[in-house]
Amino acid sequence: MTEGIDSSMLPLREVVRVTADRLALDWRNPRLIGLDPETSDHTIIAQLYRDEDLSELLQSIAANGYLDIEPLVVVEERKGVLTVLEGNRRLAALRLFRDTDLATRVREECGVRVVVPEMPAEHRQTLEGVSVYRVARREDSWSFIGFKHINGAARWESYAKAKFAADWYRKDNISLADIARRIGDKHDTIKRMVNAIYVLEQAQQEGVFSIEDRVAPRFSFSHLYTALSRAPYMDFLGLEAAWSRFDPTPDPIPKDNIEQLAKVFQWIYGSKSEGVEPIIQSQNPDIKLLAEVLGSKEALMVLRQTGSLTNAHASTQSVARKFEEALLRARDEIRKASNNLRGFDGQDGTLVEIAGDVSEIAQTVHQRLMKRVRDVVVAEE
């Protein structure tokens, strides 16, 4: 392996060694959210530390030194600059160990306190050089990176997977079926994810949603693509019933439904700027419950008026269904009381009165039910 080679002369598809100072972090890394070409390295490091377990990697390197086992994958997209396509967390860690003031600058610029553990002197020499593998184009790395982070040992979260697949699909003239085959994933899953990316991008372009404006610390992208696979969400947003079966296209939501698009994102992710909490607290069962609300005009009106998914969903149930569930719950509760009757010491007369009320109500319900049964029988005769 070779050290000290000029990046413009670095051989393709060979493992060589360079210093970490000659490598650039990649703002387009699928793990990262809401960045652009002007994003500083400090911001990238802060996000990796806050959201991608960089602190654990720092602890490991401090204890063992930098284990130069797997090369970083790099590309020269700007003359003399080697951008790291695979291994940004490792590069960030190396920089933090090599530059003792970097953690302070990250805290001052981004407000994220980065703790760099002490490293024994005998490990510091492992920071001097790092193995890299240079590809000619970003696209040349995608099969390897996709397999490793989508179905391999170092899996990304759903948003990183979807963003990666969408970029590959748009830029490399490749079908989603091919992408799924190369990375060992199911075609339908990749298609659902990329379709959801197009919906997300449309919401951002229309100015009705910003990932940074979400309320939860993490961006739960799976909430979105799971919701978009359900018919009530499709109907509410004006999507064709089978839209997700076809290849993704930009701006899938009709212009007349942008207001509905804004509401869906607010219900799922909330809005820090407007002080609105999301009504989706967990994917299961809330995505399903909201779908049922969207399928009912009455429930949707309740949701808009109260902002309560619980209240809105209650109005989707028929009176008969509510009666059935209440009766079953009442039976279960009275059984629990019966099973714990030994805990009553006979001294609290109020409980006796309550039991009497329960008995009277139960008899009334039973009598009315029997009367309705008799009425039905007579009507049928």
Short mmCIF file of all heavy atoms in Angstrom, two decimals, residues 192-246:
data_model
loop_
_atom_site.label_atom_id
_atom_site.label_comp_id
_atom_site.label_asym_id
_atom_site.label_seq_id
_atom_site.Cartn_x
_atom_site.Cartn_y
_atom_site.Cartn_z
N ARG A 192 -41.95 0.98 -2.17
CA ARG A 192 -42.73 1.75 -1.20
C ARG A 192 -41.90 2.86 -0.59
O ARG A 192 -42.37 3.99 -0.41
CB ARG A 192 -43.26 0.83 -0.10
CG ARG A 192 -44.39 -0.09 -0.52
CD ARG A 192 -44.66 -1.14 0.54
NE ARG A 192 -44.93 -0.53 1.83
CZ ARG A 192 -44.71 -1.14 3.00
NH1 ARG A 192 -44.17 -2.36 3.02
NH2 ARG A 192 -44.98 -0.53 4.13
N MET A 193 -40.64 2.55 -0.27
CA MET A 193 -39.77 3.55 0.34
C MET A 193 -39.49 4.71 -0.61
O MET A 193 -39.55 5.89 -0.22
CB MET A 193 -38.46 2.90 0.77
CG MET A 193 -38.54 2.03 2.00
SD MET A 193 -36.89 1.39 2.41
CE MET A 193 -37.17 0.78 4.06
N VAL A 194 -39.17 4.39 -1.86
CA VAL A 194 -38.83 5.45 -2.81
C VAL A 194 -40.07 6.28 -3.15
O VAL A 194 -39.99 7.51 -3.29
CB VAL A 194 -38.20 4.85 -4.08
CG1 VAL A 194 -37.95 5.93 -5.13
CG2 VAL A 194 -36.88 4.15 -3.74
N ASN A 195 -41.23 5.65 -3.27
CA ASN A 195 -42.45 6.41 -3.47
C ASN A 195 -42.67 7.41 -2.32
O ASN A 195 -43.07 8.56 -2.54
CB ASN A 195 -43.65 5.46 -3.57
CG ASN A 195 -43.93 5.02 -4.99
OD1 ASN A 195 -44.07 5.85 -5.89
ND2 ASN A 195 -44.01 3.73 -5.22
N ALA A 196 -42.41 6.94 -1.10
CA ALA A 196 -42.57 7.83 0.05
C ALA A 196 -41.56 8.97 0.04
O ALA A 196 -41.87 10.09 0.47
CB ALA A 196 -42.45 7.03 1.35
N ILE A 197 -40.35 8.72 -0.48
CA ILE A 197 -39.36 9.79 -0.62
C ILE A 197 -39.89 10.89 -1.54
O ILE A 197 -39.75 12.08 -1.27
CB ILE A 197 -38.02 9.24 -1.15
CG1 ILE A 197 -37.27 8.51 -0.05
CG2 ILE A 197 -37.15 10.36 -1.74
CD1 ILE A 197 -36.66 9.41 1.02
N TYR A 198 -40.54 10.49 -2.64
CA TYR A 198 -41.09 11.49 -3.57
C TYR A 198 -42.20 12.31 -2.90
O TYR A 198 -42.31 13.52 -3.13
CB TYR A 198 -41.62 10.79 -4.82
CG TYR A 198 -40.56 10.48 -5.85
CD1 TYR A 198 -39.90 9.25 -5.84
CD2 TYR A 198 -40.21 11.39 -6.82
CE1 TYR A 198 -38.93 8.95 -6.77
CE2 TYR A 198 -39.23 11.11 -7.76
CZ TYR A 198 -38.59 9.87 -7.73
OH TYR A 198 -37.62 9.59 -8.65
N VAL A 199 -43.01 11.66 -2.07
CA VAL A 199 -44.05 12.40 -1.34
C VAL A 199 -43.41 13.36 -0.34
O VAL A 199 -43.83 14.52 -0.22
CB VAL A 199 -45.00 11.41 -0.61
CG1 VAL A 199 -45.96 12.17 0.30
CG2 VAL A 199 -45.77 10.58 -1.64
N LEU A 200 -42.40 12.89 0.38
CA LEU A 200 -41.68 13.73 1.33
C LEU A 200 -41.06 14.94 0.63
O LEU A 200 -41.19 16.08 1.11
CB LEU A 200 -40.60 12.91 2.02
CG LEU A 200 -39.59 13.67 2.89
CD1 LEU A 200 -40.27 14.36 4.04
CD2 LEU A 200 -38.49 12.73 3.39
N GLU A 201 -40.40 14.70 -0.49
CA GLU A 201 -39.76 15.80 -1.22
C GLU A 201 -40.79 16.81 -1.72
O GLU A 201 -40.55 18.02 -1.70
CB GLU A 201 -38.94 15.24 -2.38
CG GLU A 201 -37.70 14.49 -1.91
CD GLU A 201 -36.92 13.85 -3.04
OE1 GLU A 201 -37.46 13.75 -4.17
OE2 GLU A 201 -35.76 13.43 -2.80
N GLN A 202 -41.96 16.32 -2.15
CA GLN A 202 -43.00 17.25 -2.59
C GLN A 202 -43.48 18.12 -1.42
O GLN A 202 -43.68 19.33 -1.57
CB GLN A 202 -44.17 16.48 -3.19
CG GLN A 202 -45.25 17.39 -3.76
CD GLN A 202 -46.37 16.63 -4.43
OE1 GLN A 202 -46.43 15.39 -4.39
NE2 GLN A 202 -47.29 17.35 -5.07
N ALA A 203 -43.65 17.51 -0.25
CA ALA A 203 -44.07 18.28 0.93
C ALA A 203 -43.04 19.34 1.28
O ALA A 203 -43.39 20.48 1.64
CB ALA A 203 -44.31 17.34 2.10
N GLN A 204 -41.76 19.01 1.17
CA GLN A 204 -40.71 19.96 1.46
C GLN A 204 -40.69 21.10 0.43
O GLN A 204 -40.56 22.27 0.77
CB GLN A 204 -39.35 19.25 1.50
CG GLN A 204 -39.21 18.30 2.68
CD GLN A 204 -37.95 17.46 2.60
OE1 GLN A 204 -37.61 16.89 1.56
NE2 GLN A 204 -37.22 17.37 3.69
N GLN A 205 -40.82 20.74 -0.84
CA GLN A 205 -40.80 21.75 -1.91
C GLN A 205 -42.00 22.68 -1.83
O GLN A 205 -41.90 23.87 -2.14
CB GLN A 205 -40.75 21.06 -3.28
CG GLN A 205 -39.41 20.37 -3.56
CD GLN A 205 -39.50 19.33 -4.66
OE1 GLN A 205 -40.52 19.19 -5.33
NE2 GLN A 205 -38.41 18.59 -4.86
N GLU A 206 -43.14 22.15 -1.40
CA GLU A 206 -44.35 22.97 -1.26
C GLU A 206 -44.32 23.81 0.01
O GLU A 206 -45.19 24.65 0.23
CB GLU A 206 -45.59 22.07 -1.26
CG GLU A 206 -45.87 21.37 -2.58
CD GLU A 206 -46.38 22.32 -3.66
OE1 GLU A 206 -46.76 23.45 -3.31
OE2 GLU A 206 -46.40 21.91 -4.84
N GLY A 207 -43.33 23.55 0.87
CA GLY A 207 -43.20 24.33 2.10
C GLY A 207 -44.18 23.96 3.19
O GLY A 207 -44.42 24.75 4.11
N VAL A 208 -44.76 22.75 3.10
CA VAL A 208 -45.73 22.34 4.12
C VAL A 208 -45.12 21.42 5.17
O VAL A 208 -45.79 21.05 6.14
CB VAL A 208 -46.96 21.65 3.48
CG1 VAL A 208 -47.66 22.60 2.53
CG2 VAL A 208 -46.57 20.36 2.76
N PHE A 209 -43.84 21.06 5.00
CA PHE A 209 -43.17 20.21 5.99
C PHE A 209 -41.67 20.39 5.90
O PHE A 209 -41.11 20.57 4.82
CB PHE A 209 -43.51 18.73 5.78
CG PHE A 209 -42.79 17.81 6.73
CD1 PHE A 209 -43.10 17.80 8.08
CD2 PHE A 209 -41.78 16.96 6.27
CE1 PHE A 209 -42.43 16.95 8.95
CE2 PHE A 209 -41.11 16.11 7.14
CZ PHE A 209 -41.43 16.11 8.49
N SER A 210 -41.04 20.34 7.05
CA SER A 210 -39.58 20.34 7.14
C SER A 210 -39.18 19.27 8.15
O SER A 210 -39.76 19.21 9.25
CB SER A 210 -39.06 21.71 7.59
OG SER A 210 -37.70 21.62 7.97
N ILE A 211 -38.24 18.44 7.78
CA ILE A 211 -37.81 17.39 8.70
C ILE A 211 -37.32 17.99 10.02
O ILE A 211 -37.56 17.45 11.10
CB ILE A 211 -36.70 16.52 8.05
CG1 ILE A 211 -37.27 15.74 6.86
CG2 ILE A 211 -36.11 15.54 9.06
CD1 ILE A 211 -36.25 14.91 6.13
N GLU A 212 -36.63 19.13 9.93
CA GLU A 212 -36.09 19.76 11.13
C GLU A 212 -37.20 20.29 12.04
O GLU A 212 -36.97 20.56 13.23
CB GLU A 212 -35.16 20.92 10.76
CG GLU A 212 -33.87 20.48 10.10
CD GLU A 212 -34.04 20.09 8.64
OE1 GLU A 212 -35.08 20.45 8.04
OE2 GLU A 212 -33.16 19.40 8.09
N ASP A 213 -38.43 20.44 11.52
CA ASP A 213 -39.53 20.98 12.31
C ASP A 213 -40.31 19.89 13.04
O ASP A 213 -41.25 20.17 13.78
CB ASP A 213 -40.49 21.77 11.39
CG ASP A 213 -41.49 22.61 12.18
OD1 ASP A 213 -41.08 23.24 13.18
OD2 ASP A 213 -42.68 22.63 11.80
N ARG A 214 -39.92 18.62 12.86
CA ARG A 214 -40.62 17.53 13.54
C ARG A 214 -40.44 17.68 15.06
O ARG A 214 -39.47 18.28 15.52
CB ARG A 214 -40.09 16.18 13.08
CG ARG A 214 -38.67 15.90 13.57
CD ARG A 214 -38.07 14.67 12.91
NE ARG A 214 -36.76 14.33 13.48
CZ ARG A 214 -35.62 14.91 13.17
NH1 ARG A 214 -35.59 15.89 12.28
NH2 ARG A 214 -34.50 14.52 13.75
N VAL A 215 -41.34 17.09 15.81
CA VAL A 215 -41.28 17.19 17.27
C VAL A 215 -40.36 16.13 17.87
O VAL A 215 -39.57 16.42 18.77
CB VAL A 215 -42.70 17.08 17.87
CG1 VAL A 215 -42.64 16.95 19.39
CG2 VAL A 215 -43.54 18.28 17.46
N ALA A 216 -40.43 14.90 17.38
CA ALA A 216 -39.63 13.81 17.95
C ALA A 216 -38.15 13.98 17.60
O ALA A 216 -37.82 14.52 16.54
CB ALA A 216 -40.13 12.47 17.42
N PRO A 217 -37.25 13.53 18.47
CA PRO A 217 -35.81 13.66 18.18
C PRO A 217 -35.40 12.92 16.91
O PRO A 217 -34.58 13.41 16.14
CB PRO A 217 -35.14 13.04 19.42
CG PRO A 217 -36.18 13.11 20.49
CD PRO A 217 -37.49 12.96 19.80
N ARG A 218 -35.96 11.74 16.68
CA ARG A 218 -35.62 10.96 15.50
C ARG A 218 -36.71 11.07 14.45
O ARG A 218 -37.89 11.20 14.78
CB ARG A 218 -35.39 9.48 15.87
CG ARG A 218 -34.09 9.25 16.62
CD ARG A 218 -33.83 7.75 16.80
NE ARG A 218 -32.55 7.51 17.45
CZ ARG A 218 -31.39 7.39 16.82
NH1 ARG A 218 -31.35 7.49 15.50
NH2 ARG A 218 -30.27 7.18 17.49
N PHE A 219 -36.31 11.00 13.19
CA PHE A 219 -37.26 11.07 12.09
C PHE A 219 -37.73 9.66 11.75
O PHE A 219 -36.98 8.87 11.18
CB PHE A 219 -36.60 11.73 10.88
CG PHE A 219 -37.50 11.82 9.67
CD1 PHE A 219 -38.79 12.29 9.78
CD2 PHE A 219 -37.03 11.42 8.42
CE1 PHE A 219 -39.62 12.37 8.67
CE2 PHE A 219 -37.85 11.50 7.30
CZ PHE A 219 -39.15 11.97 7.43
N SER A 220 -38.97 9.35 12.11
CA SER A 220 -39.52 8.01 11.89
C SER A 220 -40.12 7.92 10.49
O SER A 220 -41.34 8.02 10.31
CB SER A 220 -40.57 7.68 12.96
OG SER A 220 -40.00 7.69 14.24
N PHE A 221 -39.25 7.73 9.51
CA PHE A 221 -39.69 7.68 8.12
C PHE A 221 -40.62 6.50 7.87
O PHE A 221 -41.51 6.58 7.01
CB PHE A 221 -38.46 7.59 7.20
CG PHE A 221 -38.78 7.51 5.74
CD1 PHE A 221 -39.23 8.62 5.05
CD2 PHE A 221 -38.62 6.32 5.04
CE1 PHE A 221 -39.53 8.55 3.70
CE2 PHE A 221 -38.90 6.24 3.69
CZ PHE A 221 -39.36 7.36 3.01
N SER A 222 -40.45 5.42 8.61
CA SER A 222 -41.31 4.25 8.41
C SER A 222 -42.78 4.57 8.65
O SER A 222 -43.65 3.93 8.06
CB SER A 222 -40.86 3.09 9.31
OG SER A 222 -40.98 3.45 10.67
N HIS A 223 -43.06 5.56 9.52
CA HIS A 223 -44.46 5.97 9.72
C HIS A 223 -45.06 6.41 8.38
O HIS A 223 -46.21 6.08 8.07
CB HIS A 223 -44.54 7.15 10.70
CG HIS A 223 -44.23 6.80 12.12
ND1 HIS A 223 -43.86 5.54 12.52
CD2 HIS A 223 -44.22 7.58 13.24
CE1 HIS A 223 -43.65 5.54 13.84
NE2 HIS A 223 -43.87 6.76 14.28
N LEU A 224 -44.28 7.16 7.61
CA LEU A 224 -44.79 7.71 6.36
C LEU A 224 -45.03 6.63 5.32
O LEU A 224 -46.12 6.55 4.75
CB LEU A 224 -43.82 8.77 5.82
CG LEU A 224 -44.24 9.43 4.49
CD1 LEU A 224 -45.55 10.18 4.66
CD2 LEU A 224 -43.14 10.36 3.99
N TYR A 225 -44.03 5.79 5.07
CA TYR A 225 -44.24 4.82 3.98
C TYR A 225 -45.23 3.74 4.38
O TYR A 225 -45.88 3.13 3.53
CB TYR A 225 -42.92 4.27 3.44
CG TYR A 225 -42.18 3.24 4.24
CD1 TYR A 225 -42.59 1.91 4.30
CD2 TYR A 225 -41.00 3.58 4.90
CE1 TYR A 225 -41.87 0.97 5.01
CE2 TYR A 225 -40.28 2.63 5.61
CZ TYR A 225 -40.72 1.33 5.67
OH TYR A 225 -40.01 0.39 6.37
N THR A 226 -45.38 3.49 5.68
CA THR A 226 -46.42 2.56 6.12
C THR A 226 -47.80 3.17 5.90
O THR A 226 -48.72 2.50 5.41
CB THR A 226 -46.24 2.21 7.60
OG1 THR A 226 -44.96 1.59 7.78
CG2 THR A 226 -47.32 1.26 8.08
N ALA A 227 -47.95 4.44 6.25
CA ALA A 227 -49.24 5.12 6.05
C ALA A 227 -49.63 5.15 4.57
O ALA A 227 -50.78 4.88 4.20
CB ALA A 227 -49.17 6.53 6.61
N LEU A 228 -48.66 5.46 3.72
CA LEU A 228 -48.96 5.62 2.29
C LEU A 228 -49.31 4.30 1.61
O LEU A 228 -49.72 4.30 0.45
CB LEU A 228 -47.76 6.26 1.59
CG LEU A 228 -47.50 7.72 1.97
CD1 LEU A 228 -46.18 8.20 1.37
CD2 LEU A 228 -48.64 8.61 1.53
N SER A 229 -49.15 3.19 2.30
CA SER A 229 -49.54 1.90 1.73
C SER A 229 -50.99 1.56 2.06
O SER A 229 -51.51 0.53 1.59
CB SER A 229 -48.62 0.79 2.25
OG SER A 229 -48.84 0.57 3.64
N ARG A 230 -51.66 2.40 2.84
CA ARG A 230 -53.05 2.15 3.24
C ARG A 230 -54.02 2.97 2.41
O ARG A 230 -53.80 4.17 2.17
CB ARG A 230 -53.24 2.46 4.73
CG ARG A 230 -52.48 1.51 5.66
CD ARG A 230 -52.70 1.85 7.11
NE ARG A 230 -52.08 0.87 7.99
CZ ARG A 230 -52.66 -0.23 8.43
NH1 ARG A 230 -53.91 -0.49 8.07
NH2 ARG A 230 -52.02 -1.07 9.23
N ALA A 231 -55.11 2.35 1.99
CA ALA A 231 -56.07 2.97 1.08
C ALA A 231 -56.64 4.30 1.60
O ALA A 231 -56.77 5.26 0.82
CB ALA A 231 -57.19 1.98 0.75
N PRO A 232 -57.02 4.41 2.90
CA PRO A 232 -57.60 5.70 3.34
C PRO A 232 -56.64 6.88 3.19
O PRO A 232 -57.09 8.00 2.89
CB PRO A 232 -57.92 5.44 4.82
CG PRO A 232 -58.13 3.95 4.90
CD PRO A 232 -57.12 3.38 3.95
N TYR A 233 -55.34 6.67 3.40
CA TYR A 233 -54.38 7.75 3.19
C TYR A 233 -54.31 8.10 1.71
O TYR A 233 -54.23 9.28 1.34
CB TYR A 233 -52.99 7.34 3.69
CG TYR A 233 -52.86 7.23 5.19
CD1 TYR A 233 -53.10 6.03 5.84
CD2 TYR A 233 -52.49 8.34 5.96
CE1 TYR A 233 -52.97 5.91 7.22
CE2 TYR A 233 -52.36 8.23 7.35
CZ TYR A 233 -52.61 7.02 7.96
OH TYR A 233 -52.48 6.92 9.33
N MET A 234 -54.29 7.08 0.85
CA MET A 234 -54.26 7.33 -0.59
C MET A 234 -55.47 8.15 -1.02
O MET A 234 -55.34 9.14 -1.76
CB MET A 234 -54.24 6.00 -1.36
CG MET A 234 -53.04 5.13 -1.09
SD MET A 234 -53.15 3.60 -2.08
CE MET A 234 -52.01 2.53 -1.19
N ASP A 235 -56.66 7.76 -0.56
CA ASP A 235 -57.88 8.49 -0.92
C ASP A 235 -57.82 9.93 -0.42
O ASP A 235 -58.18 10.87 -1.14
CB ASP A 235 -59.11 7.79 -0.32
CG ASP A 235 -59.37 6.43 -0.94
OD1 ASP A 235 -58.86 6.18 -2.05
OD2 ASP A 235 -60.08 5.61 -0.32
N PHE A 236 -57.38 10.11 0.81
CA PHE A 236 -57.33 11.44 1.42
C PHE A 236 -56.36 12.35 0.65
O PHE A 236 -56.63 13.55 0.50
CB PHE A 236 -56.89 11.32 2.88
CG PHE A 236 -56.91 12.60 3.66
CD1 PHE A 236 -58.11 13.20 4.00
CD2 PHE A 236 -55.73 13.20 4.06
CE1 PHE A 236 -58.13 14.39 4.73
CE2 PHE A 236 -55.73 14.38 4.78
CZ PHE A 236 -56.94 14.98 5.13
N LEU A 237 -55.27 11.79 0.16
CA LEU A 237 -54.26 12.58 -0.54
C LEU A 237 -54.48 12.66 -2.04
O LEU A 237 -53.73 13.35 -2.75
CB LEU A 237 -52.86 11.99 -0.27
CG LEU A 237 -52.38 12.09 1.18
CD1 LEU A 237 -51.10 11.29 1.37
CD2 LEU A 237 -52.15 13.55 1.57
N GLY A 238 -55.49 11.95 -2.53
CA GLY A 238 -55.78 12.00 -3.96
C GLY A 238 -54.89 11.11 -4.80
O GLY A 238 -54.72 11.35 -6.01
N LEU A 239 -54.31 10.08 -4.19
CA LEU A 239 -53.47 9.13 -4.92
C LEU A 239 -54.32 8.01 -5.50
O LEU A 239 -55.31 7.60 -4.88
CB LEU A 239 -52.41 8.53 -3.99
CG LEU A 239 -51.33 9.48 -3.48
CD1 LEU A 239 -50.60 8.85 -2.30
CD2 LEU A 239 -50.35 9.82 -4.58
N GLU A 240 -53.92 7.51 -6.66
CA GLU A 240 -54.62 6.36 -7.22
C GLU A 240 -54.38 5.14 -6.33
O GLU A 240 -53.34 5.00 -5.70
CB GLU A 240 -54.10 6.07 -8.63
CG GLU A 240 -54.43 7.17 -9.62
CD GLU A 240 -53.97 6.82 -11.02
OE1 GLU A 240 -53.66 5.63 -11.25
OE2 GLU A 240 -53.91 7.72 -11.87
N ALA A 241 -55.35 4.25 -6.31
CA ALA A 241 -55.31 3.11 -5.40
C ALA A 241 -54.05 2.26 -5.59
O ALA A 241 -53.49 1.75 -4.62
CB ALA A 241 -56.55 2.26 -5.58
N ALA A 242 -53.59 2.12 -6.81
CA ALA A 242 -52.44 1.25 -7.09
C ALA A 242 -51.17 2.04 -7.35
O ALA A 242 -50.23 1.52 -7.95
CB ALA A 242 -52.76 0.35 -8.27
N TRP A 243 -51.11 3.27 -6.86
CA TRP A 243 -50.01 4.16 -7.23
C TRP A 243 -48.65 3.59 -6.84
O TRP A 243 -47.67 3.72 -7.57
CB TRP A 243 -50.18 5.53 -6.59
CG TRP A 243 -49.79 5.57 -5.14
CD1 TRP A 243 -50.44 5.00 -4.11
CD2 TRP A 243 -48.64 6.20 -4.59
NE1 TRP A 243 -49.78 5.23 -2.94
CE2 TRP A 243 -48.67 5.96 -3.20
CE3 TRP A 243 -47.58 6.93 -5.13
CZ2 TRP A 243 -47.69 6.44 -2.34
CZ3 TRP A 243 -46.60 7.40 -4.27
CH2 TRP A 243 -46.66 7.16 -2.89
N SER A 244 -48.58 2.92 -5.69
CA SER A 244 -47.29 2.43 -5.20
C SER A 244 -46.78 1.21 -5.97
O SER A 244 -45.65 0.78 -5.76
CB SER A 244 -47.38 2.11 -3.71
OG SER A 244 -48.34 1.10 -3.48
N ARG A 245 -47.61 0.65 -6.84
CA ARG A 245 -47.16 -0.48 -7.64
C ARG A 245 -46.35 -0.05 -8.85
O ARG A 245 -45.65 -0.86 -9.46
CB ARG A 245 -48.36 -1.31 -8.11
CG ARG A 245 -49.19 -1.90 -6.98
CD ARG A 245 -50.37 -2.68 -7.53
NE ARG A 245 -51.29 -3.07 -6.47
CZ ARG A 245 -52.48 -3.63 -6.70
NH1 ARG A 245 -52.87 -3.86 -7.95
NH2 ARG A 245 -53.26 -3.96 -5.69
N PHE A 246 -46.49 1.23 -9.20
CA PHE A 246 -45.81 1.72 -10.39
C PHE A 246 -44.49 2.40 -10.01
O PHE A 246 -44.26 2.72 -8.84
CB PHE A 246 -46.71 2.70 -11.16
CG PHE A 246 -48.02 2.09 -11.57
CD1 PHE A 246 -49.20 2.44 -10.94
CD2 PHE A 246 -48.07 1.13 -12.57
CE1 PHE A 246 -50.41 1.87 -11.30
CE2 PHE A 246 -49.27 0.55 -12.94
CZ PHE A 246 -50.44 0.92 -12.31
#
